[in-house]
Amino acid sequence: RITVNLAPADLPKESGRFDLPIALGILAASGQIPAGALGDYQFAGELALTGEVRAVRGALAMALGAARDRRGFVLPHDNAPQAALAGAAAIYPARTLLEVCAHLAGREIIACYRGSPAPATPDYPDLQDIRGQAHAKRALEIAAAGGHSLIMVGPPGTGKTMLASRLPGILPPMSQQEALASAAVQSLGSGGFDIANWKKRPYRAPHHTASAVALVGGGGNPRPGEISMALHGVLFLDELPEFDRRVLE
C-alpha cells in the first residue's frame, strides 16, 4: 500500500492537477526516477489511465507562481499557450507521464515552450452603432475615463443593456499587468481562460437570480465569483432591483 499525504491539510485541494505530482512522487520514492531533479520544477496535470497528461484549470495562475519561485513548470501540452502568457516562466509541455520521466532522468529533454499569442485587436461591440442617446453616451464616456460606477434607469427597451455592452470598447487598452491579472483570475473559473481573449476586457452580466457565492465567490472548493471575473473589465447587473438584498449588500 502507498499512502499519499497532501500537506498542509488546511489548504483546500481539488481537481485532477495533483495526479502528475503524486505519480512522480511515487516514482521518486521507489527509486525509478532521480528525486534530486524534482526540486527544480513545479508540476501540474491530470493523468489518464494510458499515462496521457490532460489539461487542467488555473495554468496561468500556477505559471506566475512558478516564475516567482524561479522554477520550471511542467504541465499538460494543451495548457502551454496559456501558461506562456506569464512571460518569465520556463514552460515544459508534456503529453505523457513517460515524457516527464525521461526528462527528469536526462534521457530525452522536453523543449521549453517559446510560443506567444498572436497580436490582435480585441473585437468589441461599437458605441457608434447606437443612434441618439447623447446623454447616455456622454455618461458612458465619463465613467470610462474616470473608472466610475454607473446606474442606468429607464423603462424596458430604451437601450440600457445595449449601451452597457459597449462600455468595454471605449475603455483604454489593457496593460500587460492588467491583462495578466485578469487572465489569471479567469483561468481559475469553471470555463477557464480562452487565449483568444488575451488583452480583451471582460464583460460579465450575471442573471438577477445569481446567488451570493456566484457573484462574490467562495463555495466548498472556493472559486472566483462574477465580481472577480470582471477584474479590469465591466460588471453589468441587469434588473438591479431584482437581485437578492443579501447579494447586493
Side-chain angles (χ1 to χ4, degrees), residues 17 66 108 123 139 167 186 192 204 237:
R17 66 178 180 271
E108 189 174 336
D123 184 24
L167 180 55
Q186 291 181 55
R204 309 292 296 192
L237 301 181

Side-chain angles (χ1 to χ4, degrees), residues 3-249:
T3 300
V4 179
N5 181 24
L6 297 182
D10 61 330
L11 287 179
K13 305 167 187 70
E14 50 90 25
S15 87
R17 66 178 180 271
F18 297 104
D19 289 359
L20 179 60
I22 289 171
L24 294 174
I26 293 171
L27 292 171
S30 58
Q32 298 179 65
I33 61 173
L38 297 180
D40 297 330
Y41 300 96
Q42 180 172 306
F43 303 92
E46 180 180 336
L47 285 180
L49 292 176
T50 60
E52 177 191 2
V53 184
R54 292 178 173 171
V56 294
R57 286 194 321 272
L60 178 55
M62 289 185 281
L64 291 170
R68 183 183 61 244
D69 297 337
R70 297 183 179 179
R71 302 168 75 185
F73 188 22
V74 179
L75 81 171
H77 186 273
D78 291 343
N79 285 134
Q82 181 188 130
L85 298 174
I91 306 299
Y92 297 92
R95 297 184 184 275
T96 65
L97 176 60
L98 285 176
E99 281 188 12
V100 180
C101 294
H103 176 81
L104 295 173
R107 294 194 301 270
E108 189 174 336
I109 303 301
I110 298 174
C112 192
Y113 186 82
R114 299 297 182 191
S116 59
T121 303
D123 184 24
Y124 299 108
D126 202 323
L127 191 63
Q128 72 176 0
D129 296 338
I130 299 175
R131 299 290 182 258
Q133 299 279 21
H135 286 84
K137 287 181 179 179
R138 177 64 175 157
L140 283 178
E141 291 164 359
I142 294 172
H148 305 299
S149 297
L150 184 66
I151 185 166
M152 291 185 282
V153 181
T158 52
K160 300 184 295 296
T161 300
M162 186 168 61
L163 283 160
S165 67
R166 279 148 177 79
L167 180 55
I170 61 174
L171 291 171
M174 296 182 84
S175 67
Q176 184 75 9
Q177 288 304 313
E178 286 177 336
L180 272 176
S182 176
V185 171
Q186 291 181 55
S187 74
L188 299 171
S190 57
F193 175 69
D194 185 353
I195 195 170
N197 293 327
W198 174 241
K199 288 196 171 183
K200 182 177 181 179
R201 292 193 181 272
Y203 175 78
R204 309 292 296 192
H207 194 261
H208 60 77
T209 58
S211 66
V213 169
L215 201 66
V216 181
N221 294 314
R223 299 275 180 83
E226 291 291 335
I227 295 173
S228 299
M229 298 290 278
L231 178 65
H232 298 308
V234 174
L235 175 67
F236 177 54
L237 301 181
D238 197 12
E239 305 291 349
L240 182 68
E242 299 295 330
F243 280 81
D244 186 80
R245 189 183 69 179
R246 291 171 299 174
V247 172
L248 292 177
E249 289 177 350

